[in-house]
């Protein structure tokens, strides 16, 4: 079992994304705004948080420029699960990390031709360390 999976519910996100897929809505699921290029303190955690925010924003923008098939969407789901499990310890606010990663998945669903989501249990198995 993944150590941090209880703080972020994979099933909750799966249900939200299923609603988007079933209604083919192009609206935003999450209305929060995140300041990407804000002020940082001269601490290791603050600097790492800034770098991670910029990297995830770049990932999000690259997703918005592509079109995905079913397997591309499922690969992004696995990638996001992996990133969430290994990046949370390097950010000041886990909420911020979750928001950016959820935006990546939501944008991928919006840009997918055949949006078929992978089951959360399969994603967890793929992301578990060997």
């Amino acid at each position: 079992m993944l150590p941090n999976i209880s703080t972020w519910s994979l099933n909750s996100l799966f249900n939200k994304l299923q609603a988007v897929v079933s209604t083919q809505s192009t609206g935003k699921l999450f209305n929060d705004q995140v300041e990407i290029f804000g002020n940082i303190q001269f601490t290791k955690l603050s600097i790492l948080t800034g770098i991670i925010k910029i990297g995830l924003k770049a990932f999000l923008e690259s997703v918005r420029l592509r079109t995905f098939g079913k397997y591309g969407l499922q690969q992004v789901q696995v990638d996001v699960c992996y990133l969430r499990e290994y990046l949370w310890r390097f950010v000041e606010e886990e909420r911020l990390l979750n928001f950016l990663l959820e935006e990546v998945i939501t944008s991928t669903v919006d840009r997918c031709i055949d949006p078929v989501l992978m089951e959360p249990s399969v994603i967890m198995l793929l992301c578990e360390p060997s």
Side-chain angles (χ1 to χ4, degrees):
M1 189 83 182
L2 296 172
N4 195 33
I5 206 69
S6 64
T7 60
W8 171 75
S9 172
L10 221 100
N11 290 324
S12 171
L13 179 61
F14 181 77
N15 292 335
K16 288 177 188 176
L17 291 174
Q18 283 291 61
V20 169
V21 169
S22 65
T23 62
Q24 292 299 311
S25 169
T26 57
K28 292 272 187 189
L29 281 177
F30 312 100
N31 294 324
D32 298 336
Q33 293 296 319
V34 174
E35 186 177 328
I36 302 297
F37 302 105
N39 294 328
I40 59 170
Q41 291 84 36
F42 193 65
T43 64
K44 180 180 177 182
L45 189 59
S46 182
I47 292 169
L48 285 173
T49 298
I51 292 169
I52 289 169
K53 285 193 304 187
I54 292 169
L56 290 178
K57 183 67 174 176
F59 184 27
L60 176 61
E61 292 305 317
S62 70
V63 162
R64 288 182 177 161
L65 295 174
R66 301 199 186 294
T67 303
F68 293 89
K70 175 174 86 170
Y71 299 113
L73 168 61
Q74 293 175 352
Q75 181 63 54
V76 170
Q77 283 183 277
V78 173
D79 295 344
V80 164
C81 180
Y82 181 84
L83 288 171
R84 177 172 279 115
E85 281 308 308
Y86 291 98
L87 290 180
W88 69 268
R89 59 182 68 93
F90 301 112
V91 295
E92 292 174 318
E93 292 183 49
E94 192 173 350
R95 178 194 63 79
L96 181 115
L97 176 68
N98 289 336
F99 173 78
L100 288 170
L101 291 173
E102 288 168 359
E103 281 291 309
V104 168
I105 291 180
T106 303
S107 292
T108 307
V109 168
D110 287 343
R111 302 286 303 150
C112 188
I113 296 169
D114 181 23
V116 178
L117 297 171
M118 188 180 292
E119 290 293 323
S121 58
V122 175
I123 296 171
M124 289 173 49
L125 284 173
L126 291 172
C127 290
E128 278 186 354
S130 308

